[in-house]
Amino acid sequence: GAFVSPARSSKAQCIPRHCSMPDVGGFEVFLKFLPASATEDGVCKLFSGCGEIAGDVRLMRDTQSGQCKGVAWVSFATKSGAIAACARDGVLYDQRHVQITMAKQVTWAG
């Protein structure tokens, strides 16, 4: 079948990703213990040299202040990029050690 970019089709984003599926949306890593001062650009710079980032860095932000709530998700175009990112676990960002792990795959039962 033809490749449909998730950015262009909302239906593509609704399909749960499984490890056995081909790479259609990237390989995601989860960051926690980010400082409130964290920005999307700053998180991107943490992964310089790891590989192509697929899509936008997603920071969880406080709805009132707009500051980072300490967590983020980053999708890489390749598995090797995500593995390289995870190898940076414990990196310092504004005096905080950031934990970096592979994001959990969510599957829906029912």
Side-chain angles (χ1 to χ4, degrees), residues 19-61:
C19 293
S20 60
M21 289 179 66
D23 174 27
V24 294
F27 295 88
E28 196 166 60
V29 297
F30 175 68
L31 291 77
K32 63 182 181 178
F33 308 124
L34 286 164
S37 61
T39 64
E40 288 83 354
D41 286 344
V43 170
C44 260
K45 288 176 185 171
L46 285 179
F47 300 117
S48 175
C50 288
E52 180 186 350
I53 293 176
D56 296 325
V57 171
R58 297 184 328 271
L59 293 182
M60 185 180 291
R61 293 186 177 278

Side-chain angles (χ1 to χ4, degrees), residues 13 22 24 30 38 49 79-81 83 94 100 102 106:
Q13 294 175 344
V24 294
F30 175 68
K79 186 175 184 177
S80 61
I83 290 169
D94 287 352
I100 304 166
M102 292 298 285
V106 177

Side-chain angles (χ1 to χ4, degrees), residues 1-13 15 23-25:
F3 173 76
V4 177
S5 171
R8 294 189 184 135
S9 171
S10 60
K11 290 180 182 177
Q13 294 175 344
I15 301 169
D23 174 27
V24 294

